[in-house]
Amino acid sequence: MKLLIVLAMLAAGAASVQDLSGKMFTFPVQNDRARVRLITSKQQFRAVTVCHRSFTDIKRNHGLFSLSTSGSSNSFLIFWDETNKEMEAHIMNQKSEFIGLDYKANMWHSICTTWDSATGLVQLWFNGRPTISKFVFVDTAITGSTIIILGQEQDAHGGGFDSKQAFVGMMSDVHMWDYVLSSCEIQSYVDELNFTPGNVLNWKALEFEITDKVLVQPKSSVCH
């Protein structure tokens, strides 16, 4: 365990490709620096699915997944609004709100978010249960130099971080596809069964770069 933590901290600032199966990122401090950049060469998206699992006890606004491009800091953002008790999906700065979610503290949540430029529809799957679809006025592709951040919310391309919106907790199983995943595939992801891994971001072959205090650790589980 200690060796794994030391290696994770030594790797900070240097991009690497790793199989993170059975592991998680731990964000133990609240500041405007601790983050993980997920690296992809893809710079155009006409549709997106992002799935991740997160565990936290914070009772304030926080970003969960932040993708910015040179033209929009909120090209694809997943954000929890504590004041209004809603999960938000921002697509090219257009916001959709999803309410009525049982976003309990101190437990793992599986969250998948989909968007399709052909229909303009955005949908959230929370612990395997779909929300209604929302429409956003974005009918063009997300294009430009892509920066994807976990742990912070980008208010500028690759920066503009605010410690009051930082994520503190654990995150695991982050995948991203450049198409809308089927409901059956999403359910397989939620149930941790066999599913098609992300073709943009794949947790089993993830290229990432750690800045400041973020650790790679074995994923925590409850023993019976």
Side-chain angles (χ1 to χ4, degrees):
M1 175 72 76
K2 290 183 179 179
L3 178 60
L4 185 61
I5 293 173
V6 170
L7 289 175
M9 294 183 70
L10 287 175
S16 62
V17 179
Q18 295 185 34
D19 180 353
L20 295 182
S21 300
K23 298 177 183 177
M24 62 185 182
F25 291 129
T26 296
F27 301 83
V29 297
Q30 179 183 343
N31 62 29
D32 61 359
R33 300 179 304 279
R35 61 191 184 273
V36 180
R37 178 175 178 179
L38 308 182
I39 297 171
T40 177
S41 60
K42 191 169 180 64
Q43 297 190 12
Q44 185 177 76
F45 302 93
R46 297 191 179 279
V48 171
T49 301
V50 170
C51 290
H52 74 276
R53 305 187 212 280
S54 60
F55 187 115
T56 186
D57 67 351
I58 53 180
K59 292 294 184 181
R60 54 171 172 75
N61 296 352
H62 55 273
L64 291 162
F65 182 96
S66 176
L67 184 156
S68 78
T69 60
S70 48
S72 171
S73 60
N74 292 329
S75 287
F76 194 93
L77 169 66
I78 305 167
F79 189 87
W80 174 254
D81 183 331
E82 176 66 20
T83 301
N84 296 306
K85 298 294 190 291
E86 63 188 25
M87 196 69 73
E88 300 174 352
H90 298 245
I91 314 297
M92 299 292 286
N93 294 317
Q94 301 294 314
K95 181 175 69 171
S96 297
E97 303 98 347
F98 300 94
I99 62 174
L101 305 176
D102 194 14
Y103 190 48
K104 291 181 178 178
N106 294 314
M107 65 179 293
W108 284 103
H109 294 288
S110 297
I111 303 171
C112 292
T113 310
T114 68
W115 164 73
D116 188 351
S117 65
T119 62
L121 295 181
V122 181
Q123 191 171 26
L124 197 75
W125 293 72
F126 187 82
N127 294 332
R129 299 176 65 88
T131 66
I132 64 171
S133 296
K134 299 290 186 77
F135 179 78
V136 294
F137 292 94
V138 179
D139 58 3
T140 59
I142 296 172
T143 58
S145 174
T146 301
I147 296 178
I148 300 172
I149 298 291
L150 303 179
Q152 303 285 343
E153 191 263 316
Q154 300 175 78
D155 285 330
H157 189 45
F161 306 129
D162 182 348
S163 63
K164 295 179 181 178
Q165 296 179 339
F167 176 79
V168 177
M170 292 92 80
M171 195 168 293
S172 185
D173 301 326
V174 181
H175 289 263
M176 179 177 179
W177 299 260
D178 61 0
Y179 57 90
V180 174
L181 218 57
S182 71
S183 58
C184 291
E185 285 272 25
I186 289 175
Q187 194 61 56
S188 293
Y189 169 86
V190 172
D191 294 338
E192 300 190 57
L193 302 175
N194 288 331
F195 64 92
T196 304
N199 65 341
V200 179
L201 299 173
N202 178 357
W203 192 251
K204 296 182 178 181
L206 193 68
E207 185 174 4
F208 63 93
E209 181 180 288
I210 289 175
T211 299
D212 203 66
K213 189 73 172 181
V214 182
L215 308 176
V216 177
Q217 297 182 292
K219 188 176 178 182
S220 58
S221 58
V222 177
C223 297
H224 298 283

Coordinates of all heavy atoms in Angstrom, one line a residue, residues 44-109:
Q44 N -12.8 16.1 -31.6 CA -14.2 16.4 -32.1 C -15.1 15.4 -31.6 O -14.9 14.2 -31.7 CB -14.2 16.4 -33.7 CG -15.5 16.8 -34.2 CD -15.5 16.9 -35.8 OE1 -15.5 15.8 -36.4 NE2 -15.5 18.1 -36.3
F45 N -16.3 15.8 -31.1 CA -17.3 15.0 -30.5 C -18.7 15.4 -31.0 O -19.1 16.5 -30.7 CB -17.3 15.0 -29.0 CG -16.0 14.6 -28.4 CD1 -15.0 15.6 -28.1 CD2 -15.6 13.3 -28.1 CE1 -13.8 15.3 -27.5 CE2 -14.4 13.0 -27.6 CZ -13.5 14.0 -27.3
R46 N -19.3 14.5 -31.7 CA -20.7 14.8 -32.1 C -21.7 14.1 -31.2 O -22.9 14.4 -31.2 CB -21.0 14.3 -33.6 CG -20.1 15.0 -34.6 CD -20.5 14.8 -36.0 NE -19.7 15.5 -36.9 CZ -19.9 16.8 -37.2 NH1 -20.9 17.5 -36.7 NH2 -19.1 17.4 -38.1
A47 N -21.2 13.2 -30.4 CA -22.0 12.6 -29.3 C -21.0 12.2 -28.2 O -19.8 12.0 -28.5 CB -22.7 11.4 -29.8
V48 N -21.5 12.1 -27.0 CA -20.6 11.7 -25.8 C -21.4 10.9 -24.9 O -22.6 11.1 -24.6 CB -20.2 13.0 -25.1 CG1 -19.5 12.7 -23.8 CG2 -19.2 13.8 -26.0
T49 N -20.7 9.9 -24.3 CA -21.2 9.2 -23.1 C -20.0 9.2 -22.1 O -18.9 8.9 -22.5 CB -21.6 7.8 -23.3 OG1 -22.7 7.7 -24.2 CG2 -22.1 7.1 -22.0
V50 N -20.2 9.7 -20.9 CA -19.2 9.6 -19.8 C -19.8 8.8 -18.6 O -20.9 9.2 -18.2 CB -18.8 11.0 -19.3 CG1 -17.9 10.9 -18.1 CG2 -18.0 11.7 -20.4
C51 N -19.1 7.8 -18.2 CA -19.6 7.1 -17.0 C -18.4 7.1 -16.0 O -17.3 7.0 -16.3 CB -19.9 5.6 -17.3 SG -21.3 5.3 -18.3
H52 N -18.8 7.2 -14.7 CA -17.8 7.2 -13.6 C -18.5 6.8 -12.3 O -19.7 6.8 -12.2 CB -17.2 8.6 -13.4 CG -18.1 9.6 -12.8 ND1 -19.0 10.3 -13.5 CD2 -18.2 10.0 -11.5 CE1 -19.7 11.1 -12.6 NE2 -19.2 10.9 -11.4
R53 N -17.7 6.4 -11.3 CA -18.2 6.2 -10.0 C -17.5 7.1 -9.0 O -16.3 7.3 -9.1 CB -17.9 4.7 -9.6 CG -18.5 3.7 -10.5 CD -18.3 2.2 -10.0 NE -18.1 1.3 -11.1 CZ -19.1 0.8 -11.8 NH1 -20.3 1.2 -11.7 NH2 -18.8 -0.1 -12.8
S54 N -18.3 7.7 -8.1 CA -17.7 8.6 -7.2 C -18.2 8.4 -5.8 O -19.3 7.8 -5.6 CB -17.9 10.1 -7.6 OG -19.3 10.3 -7.7
F55 N -17.4 8.8 -4.8 CA -17.7 8.6 -3.4 C -17.2 9.9 -2.6 O -16.1 10.2 -2.7 CB -16.9 7.4 -2.9 CG -17.2 6.9 -1.5 CD1 -17.8 5.6 -1.3 CD2 -16.9 7.6 -0.4 CE1 -18.1 5.1 0.0 CE2 -17.1 7.2 0.9 CZ -17.7 5.9 1.1
T56 N -18.1 10.5 -1.9 CA -17.8 11.8 -1.3 C -18.7 12.0 -0.1 O -19.8 11.4 0.0 CB -17.8 13.0 -2.2 OG1 -17.2 14.1 -1.6 CG2 -19.1 13.3 -2.7
D57 N -18.3 12.9 0.8 CA -19.2 13.4 1.9 C -19.3 14.9 1.9 O -19.9 15.5 2.8 CB -18.7 12.9 3.2 CG -17.3 13.6 3.6 OD1 -16.7 14.3 2.8 OD2 -16.9 13.4 4.8
I58 N -18.9 15.6 0.8 CA -18.9 17.0 0.8 C -20.3 17.5 0.6 O -21.1 16.9 -0.2 CB -17.9 17.6 -0.2 CG1 -18.1 17.1 -1.6 CG2 -16.5 17.4 0.3 CD1 -17.1 17.6 -2.6
K59 N -20.7 18.6 1.3 CA -22.0 19.2 1.2 C -21.9 20.6 0.6 O -22.2 21.6 1.3 CB -22.7 19.2 2.5 CG -23.1 17.8 3.1 CD -24.1 17.1 2.2 CE -24.5 15.8 2.7 NZ -25.6 15.1 1.9
R60 N -21.4 20.7 -0.6 CA -21.3 21.9 -1.3 C -21.2 21.6 -2.8 O -21.1 20.5 -3.2 CB -20.0 22.7 -0.8 CG -18.8 21.9 -1.0 CD -17.5 22.7 -0.7 NE -16.3 21.9 -0.7 CZ -15.8 21.3 -1.8 NH1 -16.2 21.5 -3.0 NH2 -14.7 20.6 -1.6
N61 N -21.2 22.7 -3.6 CA -21.1 22.5 -5.1 C -19.7 21.8 -5.4 O -18.7 22.1 -4.7 CB -21.1 23.9 -5.8 CG -22.5 24.5 -5.6 OD1 -23.4 24.0 -5.1 ND2 -22.5 25.8 -6.1
H62 N -19.7 21.0 -6.4 CA -18.4 20.4 -6.8 C -18.6 19.8 -8.2 O -19.6 19.3 -8.6 CB -17.9 19.3 -5.8 CG -18.9 18.2 -5.6 ND1 -19.9 18.3 -4.6 CD2 -19.0 17.0 -6.1 CE1 -20.6 17.2 -4.5 NE2 -20.1 16.3 -5.5
G63 N -17.5 19.9 -8.9 CA -17.4 19.3 -10.2 C -17.0 17.9 -10.2 O -16.2 17.5 -9.4
L64 N -17.5 17.1 -11.1 CA -17.2 15.6 -11.2 C -16.4 15.3 -12.4 O -15.6 14.4 -12.4 CB -18.5 14.8 -11.1 CG -19.3 14.9 -9.8 CD1 -20.7 14.4 -9.9 CD2 -18.5 14.0 -8.8
F65 N -16.7 16.0 -13.5 CA -16.0 15.7 -14.8 C -16.0 17.0 -15.6 O -17.1 17.6 -15.8 CB -16.7 14.6 -15.5 CG -16.0 14.2 -16.8 CD1 -15.1 13.1 -16.9 CD2 -16.3 14.9 -18.0 CE1 -14.5 12.7 -18.1 CE2 -15.7 14.5 -19.2 CZ -14.8 13.4 -19.2
S66 N -14.8 17.5 -15.9 CA -14.7 18.8 -16.6 C -13.9 18.6 -17.9 O -12.7 18.4 -17.9 CB -14.1 19.8 -15.7 OG -13.9 21.0 -16.3
L67 N -14.6 18.8 -19.0 CA -14.0 18.8 -20.3 C -14.1 20.2 -20.9 O -15.2 20.7 -21.1 CB -14.6 17.8 -21.3 CG -14.0 17.6 -22.7 CD1 -14.4 16.2 -23.2 CD2 -14.5 18.6 -23.7
S68 N -13.0 20.8 -21.2 CA -13.0 22.1 -21.8 C -12.3 22.0 -23.2 O -11.5 21.1 -23.4 CB -12.3 23.2 -21.0 OG -10.9 23.1 -21.1
T69 N -12.7 23.0 -24.1 CA -12.0 23.1 -25.4 C -11.5 24.6 -25.5 O -11.9 25.4 -24.6 CB -12.9 22.8 -26.5 OG1 -14.0 23.7 -26.5 CG2 -13.4 21.3 -26.5
S70 N -10.8 24.9 -26.5 CA -10.3 26.2 -26.6 C -11.4 27.2 -26.8 O -11.3 28.4 -26.6 CB -9.3 26.3 -27.8 OG -9.9 25.6 -29.0
G71 N -12.6 26.7 -27.3 CA -13.7 27.6 -27.5 C -14.7 27.7 -26.4 O -15.6 28.6 -26.4
S72 N -14.7 26.7 -25.4 CA -15.6 26.7 -24.4 C -15.1 26.0 -23.1 O -14.7 24.8 -23.2 CB -16.9 26.0 -24.8 OG -17.8 25.7 -23.8
S73 N -15.1 26.7 -22.0 CA -14.5 26.0 -20.8 C -15.5 25.0 -20.3 O -15.0 24.0 -19.5 CB -14.3 27.1 -19.7 OG -15.5 27.8 -19.4
N74 N -16.8 25.1 -20.6 CA -17.7 24.0 -20.2 C -18.3 23.3 -21.4 O -19.5 23.2 -21.6 CB -18.9 24.7 -19.4 CG -18.4 25.2 -18.0 OD1 -17.5 24.7 -17.4 ND2 -19.1 26.3 -17.6
S75 N -17.4 22.7 -22.1 CA -17.8 21.9 -23.3 C -18.6 20.7 -22.9 O -19.6 20.3 -23.5 CB -16.6 21.5 -24.2 OG -16.1 22.6 -24.8
F76 N -18.1 20.0 -21.8 CA -18.9 18.9 -21.3 C -18.5 18.8 -19.8 O -17.5 18.3 -19.4 CB -18.5 17.6 -22.0 CG -19.5 16.4 -21.7 CD1 -20.6 16.2 -22.6 CD2 -19.3 15.6 -20.6 CE1 -21.5 15.2 -22.3 CE2 -20.2 14.6 -20.3 CZ -21.3 14.4 -21.2
L77 N -19.4 19.3 -19.0 CA -19.2 19.4 -17.5 C -20.3 18.6 -16.8 O -21.5 18.8 -17.1 CB -19.2 20.8 -17.1 CG -19.2 21.1 -15.6 CD1 -18.0 20.7 -14.9 CD2 -19.4 22.6 -15.4
I78 N -19.9 17.8 -15.8 CA -20.9 17.2 -14.9 C -20.6 17.8 -13.5 O -19.5 17.8 -13.0 CB -20.7 15.7 -14.8 CG1 -20.8 15.1 -16.3 CG2 -21.7 15.0 -13.9 CD1 -20.3 13.7 -16.4
F79 N -21.7 18.4 -12.9 CA -21.5 19.3 -11.8 C -22.7 19.1 -10.8 O -23.8 19.0 -11.2 CB -21.5 20.7 -12.2 CG -21.1 21.7 -11.2 CD1 -19.8 22.0 -10.9 CD2 -22.1 22.4 -10.5 CE1 -19.4 23.0 -10.0 CE2 -21.7 23.3 -9.5 CZ -20.4 23.6 -9.3
W80 N -22.4 18.9 -9.5 CA -23.4 18.9 -8.5 C -23.6 20.2 -7.9 O -22.7 20.9 -7.3 CB -23.0 17.9 -7.4 CG -24.0 17.9 -6.2 CD1 -23.8 18.4 -5.0 CD2 -25.3 17.3 -6.2 NE1 -24.9 18.2 -4.2 CE2 -25.9 17.6 -4.9 CE3 -26.1 16.7 -7.2 CZ2 -27.2 17.2 -4.6 CZ3 -27.4 16.3 -6.9 CH2 -27.9 16.5 -5.6
D81 N -24.9 20.7 -7.9 CA -25.3 21.9 -7.3 C -26.0 21.6 -6.0 O -27.1 21.2 -5.9 CB -26.3 22.7 -8.3 CG -26.7 24.0 -7.8 OD1 -26.8 24.2 -6.5 OD2 -27.1 24.9 -8.6
E82 N -25.3 21.9 -4.9 CA -25.8 21.5 -3.6 C -26.9 22.4 -3.2 O -27.9 22.0 -2.5 CB -24.6 21.7 -2.5 CG -25.0 21.4 -1.1 CD -25.5 20.0 -0.8 OE1 -25.1 19.1 -1.6 OE2 -26.2 19.8 0.2
T83 N -26.9 23.7 -3.6 CA -28.0 24.6 -3.2 C -29.3 24.1 -3.7 O -30.3 24.1 -3.0 CB -27.7 26.0 -3.7 OG1 -26.5 26.5 -3.2 CG2 -28.8 27.0 -3.3
N84 N -29.4 23.7 -5.0 CA -30.6 23.3 -5.6 C -30.8 21.8 -5.6 O -31.8 21.3 -6.2 CB -30.7 23.9 -7.0 CG -30.7 25.4 -7.1 OD1 -31.6 26.0 -6.5 ND2 -29.8 26.0 -7.8
K85 N -29.8 21.1 -5.0 CA -29.9 19.6 -5.0 C -30.1 19.0 -6.4 O -31.1 18.2 -6.6 CB -31.0 19.2 -4.0 CG -30.7 19.6 -2.5 CD -29.5 18.9 -1.9 CE -29.4 19.2 -0.4 NZ -29.1 20.6 -0.1
E86 N -29.3 19.4 -7.3 CA -29.4 18.9 -8.7 C -28.1 18.6 -9.3 O -27.1 19.2 -9.0 CB -30.2 19.9 -9.5 CG -29.4 21.2 -9.7 CD -30.2 22.3 -10.4 OE1 -31.5 22.3 -10.3 OE2 -29.6 23.2 -11.0
M87 N -28.1 17.5 -10.1 CA -26.9 17.2 -11.0 C -27.1 18.0 -12.3 O -28.2 17.9 -12.9 CB -26.8 15.7 -11.2 CG -25.5 15.2 -11.7 SD -24.2 15.4 -10.4 CE -24.6 14.0 -9.3
E88 N -26.0 18.6 -12.7 CA -26.1 19.4 -13.9 C -25.2 18.9 -15.0 O -24.1 18.4 -14.7 CB -25.7 20.9 -13.6 CG -26.6 21.6 -12.6 CD -26.0 22.9 -12.2 OE1 -24.9 23.3 -12.6 OE2 -26.8 23.7 -11.5
A89 N -25.6 18.9 -16.2 CA -24.8 18.6 -17.4 C -24.7 19.8 -18.2 O -25.8 20.4 -18.6 CB -25.4 17.4 -18.1
H90 N -23.5 20.3 -18.4 CA -23.3 21.5 -19.2 C -22.7 21.0 -20.6 O -21.6 20.4 -20.6 CB -22.3 22.5 -18.5 CG -22.8 23.0 -17.2 ND1 -23.1 24.3 -17.0 CD2 -23.1 22.4 -16.0 CE1 -23.5 24.5 -15.8 NE2 -23.5 23.3 -15.2
I91 N -23.4 21.4 -21.6 CA -22.9 21.1 -23.0 C -22.6 22.4 -23.7 O -23.6 23.1 -24.0 CB -23.8 20.2 -23.8 CG1 -24.4 19.0 -22.9 CG2 -23.2 19.7 -25.1 CD1 -23.3 18.0 -22.5
M92 N -21.4 22.7 -24.0 CA -21.0 24.0 -24.7 C -21.7 25.1 -24.0 O -22.3 26.0 -24.6 CB -21.4 23.9 -26.1 CG -20.7 22.8 -26.9 SD -19.0 23.1 -27.2 CE -19.0 24.5 -28.4
N93 N -21.6 25.1 -22.6 CA -22.1 26.2 -21.8 C -23.7 26.2 -21.7 O -24.2 27.1 -21.1 CB -21.6 27.6 -22.2 CG -20.1 27.7 -22.0 OD1 -19.6 27.3 -20.9 ND2 -19.4 28.2 -22.9
Q94 N -24.3 25.2 -22.2 CA -25.8 25.1 -22.1 C -26.1 24.1 -21.0 O -25.6 22.9 -21.0 CB -26.4 24.6 -23.4 CG -26.2 25.5 -24.6 CD -26.9 26.9 -24.4 OE1 -28.0 27.0 -24.0 NE2 -26.1 28.0 -24.7
K95 N -26.9 24.5 -20.0 CA -27.0 23.7 -18.8 C -28.4 22.9 -18.8 O -29.4 23.5 -19.1 CB -27.0 24.6 -17.5 CG -27.1 23.8 -16.2 CD -26.9 24.8 -15.0 CE -28.0 25.8 -14.9 NZ -27.9 26.5 -13.6
S96 N -28.3 21.7 -18.4 CA -29.5 20.8 -18.1 C -29.4 20.4 -16.6 O -28.4 20.0 -16.1 CB -29.5 19.6 -19.0 OG -29.6 19.9 -20.3
E97 N -30.6 20.6 -15.9 CA -30.6 20.2 -14.5 C -31.4 18.9 -14.3 O -32.5 18.8 -14.9 CB -31.3 21.4 -13.7 CG -30.6 22.7 -13.8 CD -31.2 23.6 -14.9 OE1 -32.1 23.1 -15.6 OE2 -30.9 24.8 -14.9
F98 N -30.9 18.1 -13.4 CA -31.6 16.8 -13.1 C -31.8 16.8 -11.6 O -30.9 16.8 -10.8 CB -30.8 15.6 -13.6 CG -30.6 15.6 -15.1 CD1 -29.4 16.2 -15.6 CD2 -31.5 15.1 -16.0 CE1 -29.2 16.2 -17.0 CE2 -31.3 15.1 -17.3 CZ -30.1 15.7 -17.9
I99 N -33.1 16.7 -11.2 CA -33.4 16.7 -9.8 C -34.0 15.4 -9.3 O -34.2 14.5 -10.1 CB -34.5 17.9 -9.5 CG1 -35.8 17.6 -10.3 CG2 -33.9 19.2 -9.9 CD1 -36.9 18.6 -9.9
G100 N -34.2 15.3 -8.0 CA -34.8 14.1 -7.4 C -33.9 12.9 -7.3 O -34.3 11.8 -7.2
L101 N -32.6 13.2 -7.3 CA -31.6 12.1 -7.2 C -31.1 11.9 -5.8 O -30.9 12.9 -5.0 CB -30.3 12.5 -8.1 CG -30.6 12.8 -9.6 CD1 -29.3 13.2 -10.3 CD2 -31.2 11.6 -10.3
D102 N -31.0 10.7 -5.4 CA -30.6 10.3 -4.0 C -29.1 10.3 -3.9 O -28.5 9.2 -3.7 CB -31.2 9.0 -3.7 CG -31.2 8.7 -2.2 OD1 -31.0 9.6 -1.4 OD2 -31.4 7.5 -1.8
Y103 N -28.5 11.5 -3.9 CA -27.1 11.6 -3.9 C -26.6 11.6 -2.5 O -26.2 12.6 -1.9 CB -26.7 12.9 -4.7 CG -25.2 13.1 -5.0 CD1 -24.5 12.1 -5.6 CD2 -24.6 14.3 -4.7 CE1 -23.1 12.3 -5.9 CE2 -23.3 14.5 -5.0 CZ -22.5 13.5 -5.6 OH -21.2 13.7 -5.9
K104 N -26.6 10.4 -1.9 CA -26.2 10.3 -0.5 C -24.7 10.4 -0.3 O -23.9 10.0 -1.2 CB -26.7 8.9 0.0 CG -28.2 8.8 0.2 CD -28.6 7.5 0.7 CE -30.1 7.4 0.9 NZ -30.5 6.0 1.4
A105 N -24.3 10.8 0.9 CA -22.9 10.9 1.2 C -22.4 9.5 1.6 O -23.1 8.6 2.0 CB -22.7 11.9 2.4
N106 N -21.0 9.4 1.5 CA -20.3 8.2 2.0 C -20.8 6.9 1.4 O -21.0 5.8 2.1 CB -20.4 8.1 3.5 CG -19.6 9.2 4.2 OD1 -18.5 9.5 3.8 ND2 -20.2 9.9 5.1
M107 N -21.1 6.9 0.1 CA -21.4 5.7 -0.7 C -21.1 5.9 -2.1 O -21.0 7.0 -2.6 CB -22.9 5.3 -0.5 CG -23.9 6.2 -1.1 SD -25.6 5.6 -0.9 CE -25.6 4.2 -1.9
W108 N -20.8 4.8 -2.8 CA -20.5 4.9 -4.2 C -21.7 5.1 -5.0 O -22.8 4.6 -4.8 CB -19.8 3.6 -4.7 CG -18.4 3.4 -4.3 CD1 -17.9 2.6 -3.2 CD2 -17.2 4.1 -4.8 NE1 -16.5 2.7 -3.2 CE2 -16.1 3.6 -4.1 CE3 -17.1 5.0 -5.9 CZ2 -14.8 4.0 -4.4 CZ3 -15.8 5.4 -6.2 CH2 -14.7 4.9 -5.4
H109 N -21.6 6.0 -6.0 CA -22.6 6.3 -7.0 C -22.1 6.1 -8.4 O -21.0 6.5 -8.7 CB -23.1 7.7 -6.9 CG -23.8 8.0 -5.6 ND1 -25.1 7.5 -5.2 CD2 -23.4 8.7 -4.5 CE1 -25.4 7.9 -4.0 NE2 -24.4 8.6 -3.5

